[in-house]
Amino acid sequence: MELASIRDFSVQGKRVLVRVDLNVPLDEQGEVRDGTRIKASLPTIRYLLERGAKVILVSHLGRPKGKVKEELRLDSGAQRLSYFLKKKVHKTTQVVGEEVHKAVEQLSPGELLLLENVRFEPGEEKNDPRFARELASLADLYINDAFGTAHRAHASTVGVAEFLPAACGLLMEKEINILAGCLELPQRPLLTILGGAKVSDKIGVIKRFIGLADYILIGGAMANTFLKAKGFELGDSLVEEDKLKEARTLLEQAQRKGKDLILPQDLVVVKELKEGAFSKINAIEAVEPGWKAVDIGPQTIEKFTRLLREAKVILWNGPLGVFELPPFHRGTEAVARAVAQAQGYTVIGGGDIVAAVEQFGLASAIDHISTGGGATLEFWEGKELPGIAALRRSKEKKEER
Ligand code: ADP
Ligand code: MG
């Protein structure tokens, strides 16, 4: 790997600033609803604590937009961390400043401090060098372990790497190795499944996969736009009318490469988008006005399942229907079961599809559940993520010296 690793440094007694991703969903009481991302950050934290580092964690939560928002303080994240680690987690009420410097001074080797939500500071999202320097002044070494935020060029993910020796943490390293490993010299057939709400979010990924994957299966509302671009009437289904041209271009590009975008053959349609609504199965040719597609139909499930059986690598982003409203989770669930049982190496990434697979109780049967949503998509697009680029530059600079 062309990046410096946490393993390359001796950390005993050092102050180590670790960018983690504690941006987890909270419930109405402000308690952590799903601690998956917190769990994923534990290996790096344990690694450092066991080796006697003074660990300073920094993370964002939600979108406070540079202002203090009481409901977005990181206290419940600190509690959950403390529960997982069976260890006290010191926490400051500020991100930088005197309180924070004092807390860092009082930290002993093997102790852990969590700074307040870094997006309370206006300098964070602006990647303000003054703020980045301020953060860097707390530590001797910077570790970025927040893969889920690596597609953002912020002070705590990019700027700070200019001022400190920088390396990736164990989670960052694992994500990069697995995601890159699936795409560089992939085992074949490489099968990808794309769903979710919008084509516009995923155009870059579709383009890359047209050049790379053997099969591209498409479901969800995104499929509606492609079906409409092919000339089918989709009734009142969610269609991105302003993306029809782009969808047509993608269909043509795929065809020129001898690859079909594999679209649904049948759909589940409803008149009213609500839980338990009356539904019927519809051929793609015949969705009537007033009806909308909310899931893939049984023939499509069968076809997808058949292709999944022979795949060596399976990459999946985006649910295939409105899985939040039962029974329109069925297509997503059936395909998730087929993915869980598949022989090939399976990777899923994306907020909603990960939540869906967790909800179906299938998460443990997936080989790699990426902690990135947007970050995973951009990685699949072949973009170098700013957070990763910053670590690479930092290593290059060190080698020049
Ligand atoms: P991910 O977070 O996995 O990347 P997206 O955010 O792109 O996925 O899309 C998830 C959303 O897409 C879900 O809220 C789901 O209800 C919606 N969706 C999927 N299929 C349809 C459909 N046929 N019509 C409307 N919305 C859909
Ligand atoms: Mg989403």
Side-chain angles (χ1 to χ4, degrees), residues 195-198 201-202 220-221 224 238 293-295 317-324 349-354 377:
K198 294 198 213 139
D201 293 343
K202 293 173 191 175
N224 299 338
L238 187 61
V294 287
D295 200 2
N317 171 282
L320 305 179
V322 186
F323 75 98
E324 302 95 325
D352 289 288
I353 186 57
V354 170
L377 278 176

Short mmCIF file of all heavy atoms in Angstrom, two decimals, residues 195-198 201-202 220-221 224 238 293-295 317-324 349-354 377, ligand 1:
data_model
loop_
_atom_site.label_atom_id
_atom_site.label_comp_id
_atom_site.label_asym_id
_atom_site.label_seq_id
_atom_site.Cartn_x
_atom_site.Cartn_y
_atom_site.Cartn_z
N GLY A 195 -29.16 0.05 -6.85
CA GLY A 195 -30.56 0.42 -6.65
C GLY A 195 -30.64 1.78 -6.03
O GLY A 195 -29.73 2.59 -6.20
N GLY A 196 -31.70 2.01 -5.27
CA GLY A 196 -31.83 3.29 -4.59
C GLY A 196 -32.69 4.25 -5.38
O GLY A 196 -33.33 3.88 -6.36
N ALA A 197 -32.66 5.48 -4.91
CA ALA A 197 -33.65 6.44 -5.39
C ALA A 197 -33.28 7.06 -6.73
O ALA A 197 -34.13 7.19 -7.61
CB ALA A 197 -33.84 7.52 -4.33
N LYS A 198 -32.02 7.43 -6.90
CA LYS A 198 -31.72 8.31 -8.03
C LYS A 198 -30.61 7.80 -8.92
O LYS A 198 -29.56 7.38 -8.44
CB LYS A 198 -31.30 9.68 -7.50
CG LYS A 198 -32.41 10.42 -6.79
CD LYS A 198 -32.03 11.88 -6.72
CE LYS A 198 -32.54 12.55 -5.47
NZ LYS A 198 -31.54 13.45 -4.91
N ASP A 201 -27.31 10.14 -8.55
CA ASP A 201 -26.28 9.86 -7.56
C ASP A 201 -25.23 8.88 -8.09
O ASP A 201 -24.13 8.81 -7.56
CB ASP A 201 -26.89 9.17 -6.32
CG ASP A 201 -27.80 10.08 -5.54
OD1 ASP A 201 -27.73 11.30 -5.75
OD2 ASP A 201 -28.60 9.56 -4.72
N LYS A 202 -25.62 8.07 -9.07
CA LYS A 202 -24.81 6.89 -9.36
C LYS A 202 -24.31 6.80 -10.79
O LYS A 202 -23.75 5.78 -11.19
CB LYS A 202 -25.60 5.64 -8.95
CG LYS A 202 -25.76 5.64 -7.44
CD LYS A 202 -26.64 4.61 -6.81
CE LYS A 202 -26.84 5.00 -5.34
NZ LYS A 202 -27.77 4.16 -4.61
N GLY A 220 -34.75 -0.70 -7.95
CA GLY A 220 -35.12 0.53 -7.25
C GLY A 220 -35.70 1.56 -8.20
O GLY A 220 -35.97 1.28 -9.37
N ALA A 221 -35.86 2.76 -7.67
CA ALA A 221 -36.45 3.82 -8.49
C ALA A 221 -35.53 4.14 -9.67
O ALA A 221 -35.98 4.57 -10.73
CB ALA A 221 -36.68 5.07 -7.64
N ASN A 224 -36.54 2.66 -12.84
CA ASN A 224 -37.67 3.30 -13.54
C ASN A 224 -37.17 4.26 -14.60
O ASN A 224 -37.71 4.32 -15.71
CB ASN A 224 -38.54 4.09 -12.55
CG ASN A 224 -39.15 3.19 -11.48
OD1 ASN A 224 -39.27 1.98 -11.67
ND2 ASN A 224 -39.53 3.79 -10.37
N LEU A 238 -41.75 6.95 -9.63
CA LEU A 238 -40.69 7.94 -9.48
C LEU A 238 -39.71 7.78 -10.64
O LEU A 238 -39.05 6.76 -10.79
CB LEU A 238 -39.98 7.70 -8.14
CG LEU A 238 -38.94 8.71 -7.70
CD1 LEU A 238 -39.57 10.08 -7.54
CD2 LEU A 238 -38.30 8.27 -6.39
N ALA A 293 -44.34 2.00 -9.42
CA ALA A 293 -43.50 0.85 -9.08
C ALA A 293 -42.82 1.08 -7.74
O ALA A 293 -42.24 2.14 -7.51
CB ALA A 293 -42.44 0.65 -10.16
N VAL A 294 -42.90 0.07 -6.86
CA VAL A 294 -42.28 0.21 -5.54
C VAL A 294 -41.29 -0.93 -5.24
O VAL A 294 -40.59 -0.89 -4.23
CB VAL A 294 -43.33 0.25 -4.41
CG1 VAL A 294 -44.05 1.59 -4.43
CG2 VAL A 294 -44.31 -0.91 -4.51
N ASP A 295 -41.26 -1.93 -6.12
CA ASP A 295 -40.35 -3.06 -5.86
C ASP A 295 -40.15 -3.82 -7.17
O ASP A 295 -40.91 -3.63 -8.13
CB ASP A 295 -40.97 -3.98 -4.80
CG ASP A 295 -39.93 -4.89 -4.12
OD1 ASP A 295 -38.73 -4.78 -4.45
OD2 ASP A 295 -40.34 -5.69 -3.26
N ASN A 317 -24.91 -1.66 -4.00
CA ASN A 317 -25.29 -0.38 -3.39
C ASN A 317 -26.73 -0.04 -3.76
O ASN A 317 -27.10 -0.09 -4.93
CB ASN A 317 -24.36 0.74 -3.88
CG ASN A 317 -24.85 2.11 -3.45
OD1 ASN A 317 -25.76 2.66 -4.04
ND2 ASN A 317 -24.25 2.64 -2.42
N GLY A 318 -27.53 0.30 -2.75
CA GLY A 318 -28.89 0.81 -2.99
C GLY A 318 -29.96 -0.27 -3.00
O GLY A 318 -29.84 -1.26 -3.72
N PRO A 319 -31.02 -0.07 -2.20
CA PRO A 319 -32.12 -1.06 -2.15
C PRO A 319 -32.90 -1.13 -3.46
O PRO A 319 -32.92 -0.18 -4.24
CB PRO A 319 -33.01 -0.55 -1.01
CG PRO A 319 -32.66 0.89 -0.85
CD PRO A 319 -31.24 1.05 -1.29
N LEU A 320 -33.56 -2.26 -3.68
CA LEU A 320 -34.25 -2.50 -4.95
C LEU A 320 -35.71 -2.11 -4.92
O LEU A 320 -36.43 -2.25 -5.91
CB LEU A 320 -34.09 -3.98 -5.33
CG LEU A 320 -32.62 -4.43 -5.38
CD1 LEU A 320 -32.52 -5.91 -5.73
CD2 LEU A 320 -31.83 -3.58 -6.36
N GLY A 321 -36.17 -1.64 -3.78
CA GLY A 321 -37.55 -1.18 -3.65
C GLY A 321 -37.68 -0.30 -2.42
O GLY A 321 -36.68 0.00 -1.75
N VAL A 322 -38.91 0.11 -2.14
CA VAL A 322 -39.16 0.95 -0.97
C VAL A 322 -39.18 0.03 0.26
O VAL A 322 -40.24 -0.28 0.80
CB VAL A 322 -40.48 1.74 -1.12
CG1 VAL A 322 -40.66 2.73 0.04
CG2 VAL A 322 -40.51 2.49 -2.44
N PHE A 323 -38.00 -0.39 0.69
CA PHE A 323 -37.91 -1.45 1.71
C PHE A 323 -38.42 -0.98 3.07
O PHE A 323 -38.74 -1.79 3.93
CB PHE A 323 -36.46 -1.95 1.84
CG PHE A 323 -35.58 -0.98 2.58
CD1 PHE A 323 -35.31 -1.15 3.94
CD2 PHE A 323 -35.05 0.11 1.92
CE1 PHE A 323 -34.52 -0.23 4.62
CE2 PHE A 323 -34.25 1.03 2.60
CZ PHE A 323 -33.99 0.86 3.95
N GLU A 324 -38.53 0.35 3.25
CA GLU A 324 -38.99 0.88 4.54
C GLU A 324 -40.48 0.58 4.76
O GLU A 324 -40.96 0.62 5.88
CB GLU A 324 -38.82 2.40 4.62
CG GLU A 324 -37.41 2.92 4.41
CD GLU A 324 -37.13 3.34 2.95
OE1 GLU A 324 -37.67 2.67 2.03
OE2 GLU A 324 -36.38 4.29 2.75
N GLY A 349 -22.33 -1.58 0.33
CA GLY A 349 -22.01 -0.25 0.82
C GLY A 349 -23.16 0.68 0.54
O GLY A 349 -23.85 0.54 -0.47
N GLY A 350 -23.41 1.63 1.45
CA GLY A 350 -24.51 2.58 1.26
C GLY A 350 -25.43 2.53 2.46
O GLY A 350 -25.78 1.46 2.92
N GLY A 351 -25.78 3.71 2.97
CA GLY A 351 -26.55 3.81 4.20
C GLY A 351 -27.80 2.94 4.21
O GLY A 351 -28.02 2.14 5.12
N ASP A 352 -28.63 3.08 3.18
CA ASP A 352 -29.93 2.41 3.21
C ASP A 352 -29.83 0.91 2.98
O ASP A 352 -30.52 0.14 3.63
CB ASP A 352 -30.87 3.04 2.19
CG ASP A 352 -31.29 4.43 2.63
OD1 ASP A 352 -32.09 4.53 3.57
OD2 ASP A 352 -30.79 5.41 2.07
N ILE A 353 -28.96 0.51 2.08
CA ILE A 353 -28.88 -0.94 1.84
C ILE A 353 -28.26 -1.66 3.03
O ILE A 353 -28.68 -2.77 3.39
CB ILE A 353 -28.15 -1.27 0.51
CG1 ILE A 353 -28.23 -2.77 0.22
CG2 ILE A 353 -26.73 -0.81 0.50
CD1 ILE A 353 -29.61 -3.34 0.15
N VAL A 354 -27.32 -1.00 3.69
CA VAL A 354 -26.74 -1.62 4.89
C VAL A 354 -27.80 -1.75 5.97
O VAL A 354 -27.96 -2.80 6.60
CB VAL A 354 -25.50 -0.83 5.39
CG1 VAL A 354 -25.05 -1.32 6.75
CG2 VAL A 354 -24.36 -0.94 4.38
N LEU A 377 -19.18 4.84 -2.83
CA LEU A 377 -19.57 5.11 -4.22
C LEU A 377 -18.46 5.82 -4.97
O LEU A 377 -18.13 5.46 -6.10
CB LEU A 377 -20.83 5.97 -4.26
CG LEU A 377 -22.15 5.22 -4.09
CD1 LEU A 377 -23.31 6.20 -4.06
CD2 LEU A 377 -22.35 4.20 -5.20
P1 ADP B 1 -28.19 3.83 -0.39
O1 ADP B 1 -28.31 4.67 0.86
O2 ADP B 1 -28.14 2.35 -0.08
O3 ADP B 1 -27.08 4.31 -1.28
P2 ADP B 1 -30.19 5.43 -1.75
O4 ADP B 1 -30.08 6.47 -0.69
O5 ADP B 1 -29.68 5.75 -3.10
O6 ADP B 1 -29.54 4.05 -1.23
O7 ADP B 1 -31.74 5.06 -1.96
C1 ADP B 1 -32.54 4.57 -0.92
C2 ADP B 1 -33.98 4.97 -1.11
O8 ADP B 1 -34.47 4.56 -2.37
C3 ADP B 1 -34.88 4.31 -0.07
O9 ADP B 1 -35.42 5.31 0.74
C4 ADP B 1 -35.95 3.62 -0.92
O10 ADP B 1 -37.23 3.76 -0.38
C5 ADP B 1 -35.85 4.34 -2.24
N1 ADP B 1 -36.42 3.53 -3.33
C6 ADP B 1 -36.01 2.34 -3.77
N2 ADP B 1 -36.81 1.88 -4.75
C7 ADP B 1 -37.77 2.83 -4.95
C8 ADP B 1 -38.89 2.95 -5.82
N3 ADP B 1 -39.19 2.01 -6.71
N4 ADP B 1 -39.64 4.07 -5.73
C9 ADP B 1 -39.34 5.03 -4.84
N5 ADP B 1 -38.29 4.98 -3.99
C10 ADP B 1 -37.51 3.88 -4.03
#
